Amino acid sequence: MTAWPGLYNYWIVIFLMMTGFYIVIARGNLVKKIIGLNIFQTSVFLLYISMGKVSGGTVPILTGPGAAYSNPLPHVLILTAIVVGVATTGVGLALVVRIKEAYGTIEEDEILSQDDPP
């Protein structure tokens, strides 16, 4: 039972992941859906960063033979993912602006009702 307090970052990841997933599923507003996807994406970032850290590990360039080190690859990949996430968020918000101009709303059910033939 002593392992539970040490795994709090994974509980935070689960909470953020389920919160983001709920927002995407339950909300009809397109901006809220994008925010939900960003929360979900942040939870994945935290998961990879948590897994990449080795307790008691050092920087790989300063290690001797047989020393424990933290792998920098997950951190580098997450930096790349953050840049891609910001870019896709920008594209998503630009699409929401264009949808608002075309349909006059950003609510999913109202957009679908306008597309249905009478």
Side-chain angles (χ1 to χ4, degrees), residues 2-110:
T2 60
W4 289 101
L7 300 176
Y8 68 92
N9 51 342
Y10 294 107
W11 288 108
I12 292 171
V13 166
I14 291 169
F15 175 75
L16 286 175
M17 191 173 284
M18 291 302 106
T19 303
F21 184 66
Y22 175 75
I23 291 171
V24 170
I25 298 297
R27 302 291 183 240
N29 189 320
L30 296 178
V31 174
K32 289 181 182 179
K33 285 184 181 283
I34 291 175
I35 291 171
L37 286 172
N38 283 335
I39 292 171
F40 192 92
Q41 185 179 35
T42 301
S43 72
V44 174
F45 295 163
L46 290 175
L47 177 68
Y48 276 103
I49 290 171
S50 296
M51 290 188 308
K53 176 65 179 132
V54 175
S55 181
T58 62
V59 180
I61 203 164
L62 300 176
T63 61
Y69 67 92
S70 292
N71 189 0
L73 184 62
H75 298 85
V76 172
L77 291 175
I78 293 306
L79 283 174
T80 306
I82 289 171
V83 171
V84 171
V86 168
T88 55
T89 300
V91 170
L93 290 173
L95 286 172
V96 169
V97 168
R98 182 63 185 104
I99 289 169
K100 171 75 172 165
E101 290 173 356
Y103 289 97
T105 184
I106 57 173
E107 295 295 327
E108 183 179 18
D109 54 348
E110 294 175 13

